[in-house]
Amino acid sequence: MRNTVDMVDDPEYEEEEEPSFSDPEDFVDDVEDEELLEDILREKPQETDGIDSVVVVDNVPQVGPERLEKLKNVIHKIFSKFGKITTEFYPEADGTTKGYIFLEYSSPNQALEAVKNADGYKLDKQHTFRVNLFTDFDKYMNISDEWDPPAKQPFKDFGNMRHWIEDPDCRDQYSVIYEAGERTAIFANDAKEPILAEERARWTETYVRWSPKGTYLATFHQRGIALWGGEKFKQIQRFSHQGVSLIDFSPCERYVVTFSPLMDTKEDPQAIIIWDILTGQKKRGFHCESSAHWPIFKWSHDGKFFARMTQDTLSIYETPSMGLLDKKSLKINGIKDFSWSPGDNIIAFWVPEDKDIPARVTLMQMPSRQEIRVDRTPKGTQGVVTNFEIFRMREKQVPVDVVEMKESIIAFAWEPNGSKFAVLHGESPRINASFYHVKNNGKIELIKMFDKQQANSIFWSPQGQFMVLAGLRSMNGALAFVDTSDCTMMNIAEHYMASDVEWDPTGRYVVTSVSWWSHKVDNAYWVWTFQGRLLQKNNKDRFCQLLWRPRPPTLLSADQIKMIKKDLKKYSKTFEQKDRLSQSKASKELVDKRRTMLDDYRRYREEALKNYQEQKSMRLELRGGVDTDELDSNVDDWEEETIEFFCDEKIIALDDL
């Protein structure tokens, strides 16, 4: 304080003039608020904030005050399945609701899910909901009257996507992963030795999968899935799904389903994604609590429907919309399993018994949801009893036949393209293999039972009739090759510690293998004939996986197939000759050399015949119009002349010799 007083009293101190902060009279302020306060204005509330979480529901029943509370409860029960509803508004006029309502969700994704699943929901005979996002109204109001055609996309030619079927020797292909996953190769199967078609290092990071018709090869990567195809296995498509670990194809090869345990969030379902293979677009995402029972979705035979089971619920979806069939799931208390028919859009689901309620199997037609058969099983007696219920789907009212077994069941499998089924039952070391035949009259006949089998798995040939009973892993790879036409054991063999059995699509060959993924030594795959004759032992360093490439359905009609079978002996001679010639490399090289020489001769002969025909006019002119090209030409002009030759006659006595 003393210093301040001294400064005021000091005559040399003069107070400085205070600066002016006022703008000049001619000053123009051209600085926008966005430049000065950009970070603050960014957080300014917008007029449209929140409306992207609002849906508008039309065709709601118009009710008075006495029924309004009941209507609200019904609406809340339907729409709360898609997320948390924060606000509900029911406009009224003259004491009744107007027939439309506004619902606000806690997030835009929940509102979008409500639109996808509830639009078209049938509340009753008179009311079918139409659900739209509130933000869509502006979009629909501002649609231009001028139509802009979409840009033409360039055509990508990937070559012949089914080239392997045109192999002149009818060789099927298979994929092999070895060196602990570092290398992946595609081989063409040959009785002598496999023929390498393609091989790449680090082609996949885990394993590979073929599509159901063999068109695509799927490889796994940390960032997603890649599909390969064509003669040179070019990349056809890729799908970005971080951490993907499982995939599944639709039977029609139109869609692929991917699963990742890393991506799921409550607002945006990403655990399971369904993709369109042709366009690469994401069709829909789903939540998934567990992938223990993969595939989560099961497809109908034609790919038109797919379904998943959750607790007390069976949800059936339709393509291409990927929405719930009829906008609602089936409520089935206690459902434990379900399956699609392999030939019709019929779904079967099973509910076990519960207290006094018997177990039941229900067959339901899709998309009508008509129950065509419900079979209830009476409460079982004490002890382990297994009933095989055979539904005759092509007969009126779907009659059911029952086969009862009092032993525990190890494995069961239907015969492809046939009417038999096989069952492994009992306890080790007394495991029995039973074969049953379902006759046309519905009677089920036990045709054969082999006792004391070392088997825990059944592998039918894709064409039926032949099968392999295998004791994999803990049973040391015991193999039994069976012809079920007369139930004879064609051969009994062993592939020690075998972990997998794979039939080729034609049913001519079968592969047994020891995978490095399950056993760290003796990794190899062996190729057998369907009769159990060992053809090859292929040892691969840290062999992991072998998968046969599937074949698409044949384009031949039933009559054409019947005709080929009738003339099979005629065709078999050609193939037998090829087989004999290809038994050794030397014979194969000789055949190739002879085939080249024959082709050269045919080309030379065609050229010579062409020249011969071109010179015919010259020959006729030189020979006075006489055509001498044929031996029998101009017979009338021939003259017969007899020529006699004189021969000496000598008589030699035998004694002189």
Side-chain angles (χ1 to χ4, degrees):
M1 190 69 182
R2 186 166 48 248
N3 293 338
T4 304
V5 173
D6 293 342
M7 292 173 62
V8 174
D9 294 341
D10 188 351
E12 295 182 2
Y13 174 76
E14 295 182 5
E15 185 177 358
E16 294 183 3
E17 184 179 355
E18 184 176 330
S20 174
F21 294 96
S22 300
D23 294 330
E25 292 182 1
D26 59 346
F27 176 76
V28 178
D29 187 0
D30 58 353
V31 180
E32 300 289 339
D33 290 344
E34 285 74 9
E35 293 184 43
L36 296 174
L37 306 171
E38 181 181 0
D39 54 340
I40 298 176
L41 291 176
R42 195 183 299 121
E43 299 177 5
K44 178 182 177 181
Q46 301 295 319
E47 184 180 351
T48 58
D49 280 356
I51 66 172
D52 52 356
S53 299
V54 177
V55 298
V56 183
V57 185
D58 286 308
N59 297 332
V60 178
Q62 294 177 315
V63 298
E66 68 281 357
R67 298 179 58 194
L68 181 57
E69 194 61 33
K70 183 178 179 180
L71 176 63
K72 287 184 176 181
N73 291 335
V74 172
I75 295 294
H76 188 83
K77 183 178 179 181
I78 294 171
F79 285 88
S80 62
K81 293 185 293 185
F82 312 116
K84 183 180 179 181
I85 300 175
T86 59
T87 307
E88 302 179 23
F89 179 61
Y90 290 72
E92 297 182 14
D94 300 328
T96 61
T97 58
K98 288 187 174 182
Y100 60 90
I101 62 173
F102 299 89
L103 301 176
E104 183 178 1
Y105 285 90
S106 59
S107 74
N109 288 329
Q110 294 175 358
L112 189 62
E113 196 73 12
V115 172
K116 286 182 180 178
N117 292 279
D119 184 40
Y121 182 90
K122 191 173 183 179
L123 182 66
D124 53 39
K125 291 183 179 179
Q126 287 79 31
H127 300 92
T128 300
F129 292 156
R130 296 314 309 262
V131 185
N132 292 280
L133 292 171
F134 188 81
T135 53
D136 285 344
F137 284 86
D138 287 336
K139 181 176 70 175
Y140 297 145
M141 292 294 292
N142 297 323
I143 294 177
S144 174
D145 293 334
E146 297 181 3
W147 179 72
D148 295 326
K152 187 176 180 180
Q153 299 296 322
F155 173 72
K156 295 181 180 179
D157 185 8
F158 297 109
N160 185 358
M161 298 295 287
R162 293 184 173 176
H163 69 96
W164 84 99
I165 301 177
E166 299 177 354
D167 183 90
D169 293 314
C170 306
R171 299 186 184 98
D172 282 287
Q173 292 185 346
Y174 57 82
S175 62
V176 174
I177 298 178
Y178 61 101
E179 291 186 8
E182 286 294 311
R183 301 197 70 82
T184 303
I186 311 296
F187 291 99
N189 181 47
D190 188 81
K192 182 66 178 176
E193 61 181 1
I195 301 171
L196 182 64
E198 188 74 25
E199 185 176 27
R200 297 179 190 176
R202 294 177 292 280
W203 199 351
T204 182
E205 294 180 16
T206 51
Y207 61 101
V208 299
R209 276 284 305 273
W210 292 103
S211 60
K213 297 179 182 179
T215 308
Y216 306 106
L217 177 71
T219 57
F220 288 72
H221 310 274
Q222 181 61 29
R223 295 184 178 181
I225 294 293
L227 298 186
W228 311 79
E231 191 170 356
K232 299 299 182 182
F233 286 95
K234 297 178 181 178
Q235 188 177 102
I236 307 298
Q237 196 61 267
R238 58 183 179 181
F239 309 97
S240 179
H241 198 182
Q242 189 76 19
V244 62
S245 59
L246 297 168
I247 67 168
D248 185 41
F249 287 91
S250 65
C252 58
E253 290 190 343
R254 179 68 188 274
Y255 307 103
V256 62
V257 186
T258 60
F259 167 78
S260 171
L262 306 179
M263 296 290 289
D264 210 13
T265 60
K266 187 175 181 180
E267 292 76 18
D268 185 18
Q270 294 281 338
I272 297 177
I273 299 178
I274 300 181
W275 307 86
D276 188 304
I277 290 179
L278 295 179
T279 64
Q281 294 180 346
K282 173 185 173 182
K283 299 295 289 185
R284 186 171 176 183
F286 293 88
H287 293 296
C288 181
E289 292 76 22
S290 171
S291 62
H293 301 286
W294 185 261
I296 300 296
F297 292 105
K298 296 181 182 179
W299 291 87
S300 62
H301 76 287
D302 55 5
K304 290 184 178 179
F305 304 98
F306 58 99
R308 73 179 298 184
M309 181 184 68
T310 53
Q311 186 174 359
D312 297 333
T313 304
L314 181 61
S315 301
I316 302 165
Y317 302 84
E318 56 185 342
T319 62
S321 68
M322 304 297 163
L324 270 172
L325 182 64
D326 295 338
K327 305 298 180 182
K328 56 185 177 181
S329 300
L330 294 171
K331 184 72 173 178
I332 307 169
N333 292 327
I335 183 173
K336 289 297 181 184
D337 200 5
F338 75 97
S339 179
W340 287 97
S341 164
D344 302 286
N345 285 330
I346 297 174
I347 199 167
F349 56 85
W350 170 66
V351 178
E353 65 180 46
D354 182 21
K355 298 179 181 178
D356 295 331
I357 302 174
R360 75 180 190 275
V361 175
T362 303
L363 303 180
M364 185 176 288
Q365 184 81 46
M366 293 298 161
S368 65
R369 300 196 182 199
Q370 177 187 357
E371 291 186 353
I372 58 178
R373 186 71 159 87
V374 179
D375 183 65
R376 290 179 171 82
T377 304
K379 191 173 181 180
T381 59
Q382 292 183 351
V384 178
V385 177
T386 300
N387 286 338
F388 290 99
E389 298 183 349
I390 312 300
F391 293 75
R392 301 205 293 275
M393 301 296 297
R394 297 288 182 257
E395 298 185 27
K396 190 176 181 180
Q397 296 182 344
V398 192
V400 180
D401 301 293
V402 180
V403 176
E404 182 179 288
M405 291 192 139
K406 295 184 179 180
E407 295 180 311
S408 59
I409 305 301
I410 299 171
F412 168 90
W414 277 105
E415 175 189 21
N417 302 321
S419 56
K420 296 188 283 290
F421 63 88
V423 185
L424 290 177
H425 53 94
E427 300 287 344
S428 184
R430 299 185 62 84
I431 296 176
N432 303 319
S434 296
F435 303 92
Y436 292 86
H437 179 219
V438 182
K439 295 187 174 181
N440 292 333
N441 60 7
K443 184 179 179 181
I444 301 174
E445 178 187 17
L446 175 64
I447 54 179
K448 187 71 174 181
M449 185 179 77
F450 295 116
D451 58 357
K452 297 182 180 179
Q453 295 297 304
Q454 283 187 288
N456 52 20
S457 303
I458 301 169
F459 297 96
W460 282 97
S461 162
Q463 305 303 321
Q465 182 177 344
F466 304 104
M467 64 152 32
V468 175
L469 298 175
L472 301 180
R473 296 178 177 86
S474 60
M475 288 191 173
N476 297 331
L479 305 170
F481 295 82
V482 182
D483 182 355
T484 61
S485 62
D486 54 5
C487 288
T488 56
M489 288 275 189
M490 296 182 292
N491 190 27
I492 296 176
E494 180 183 270
H495 186 175
Y496 183 68
M497 294 306 296
S499 57
D500 300 282
V501 176
E502 295 281 347
W503 281 92
D504 87 312
T506 66
R508 295 177 297 167
Y509 302 97
V510 62
V511 166
T512 59
S513 60
V514 181
S515 173
W516 184 78
W517 290 335
S518 60
H519 195 65
K520 299 303 181 186
V521 296
D522 300 327
N523 305 127
Y525 68 91
W526 295 1
V527 182
W528 312 72
T529 66
F530 68 93
Q531 301 147 316
R533 180 167 59 90
L534 182 61
L535 296 177
Q536 303 170 19
K537 291 185 178 181
N538 295 296
N539 298 315
K540 290 287 185 183
D541 179 31
R542 291 167 292 169
F543 163 83
C544 298
Q545 181 196 47
L546 182 145
L547 289 177
W548 288 96
R549 187 174 193 172
R551 281 178 170 261
T554 179
L555 300 177
L556 298 175
S557 66
D559 291 337
Q560 289 173 319
I561 294 175
K562 187 177 180 180
M563 186 63 66
I564 291 172
K565 289 182 177 180
K566 182 180 178 181
D567 298 335
L568 194 59
K569 289 185 178 179
K570 180 177 69 175
Y571 300 124
S572 63
K573 291 180 181 179
T574 304
F575 290 110
E576 287 173 0
Q577 184 180 6
K578 280 189 174 183
D579 290 341
R580 286 194 298 268
L581 292 174
S582 62
Q583 287 179 355
S584 67
K585 273 190 174 181
S587 64
K588 183 179 184 304
E589 292 172 358
L590 182 61
V591 167
D592 292 340
K593 182 178 179 181
R594 288 177 176 174
R595 184 176 290 131
T596 302
M597 294 173 65
L598 181 60
D599 292 341
D600 291 342
Y601 165 73
R602 285 173 176 166
R603 283 193 294 269
Y604 168 77
R605 187 173 184 273
E606 289 176 2
E607 188 67 26
L609 285 173
K610 182 180 178 181
N611 293 335
Y612 185 71
Q613 291 298 327
E614 291 174 352
Q615 296 170 359
K616 184 170 184 176
S617 58
M618 296 174 60
R619 290 194 300 275
L620 290 172
E621 183 180 353
L622 291 171
R623 295 169 186 172
V626 177
D627 185 0
T628 60
D629 289 356
E630 302 292 339
L631 293 176
D632 295 335
S633 62
N634 302 303
V635 177
D636 296 338
D637 297 334
W638 287 6
E639 293 182 3
E640 185 175 350
E641 182 179 351
T642 304
I643 300 175
E644 295 182 356
F645 294 93
F646 176 75
C647 299
D648 291 337
E649 182 179 350
K650 292 183 180 180
I651 300 174
I652 301 174
L654 295 177
D655 295 339
D656 297 339
L657 296 178

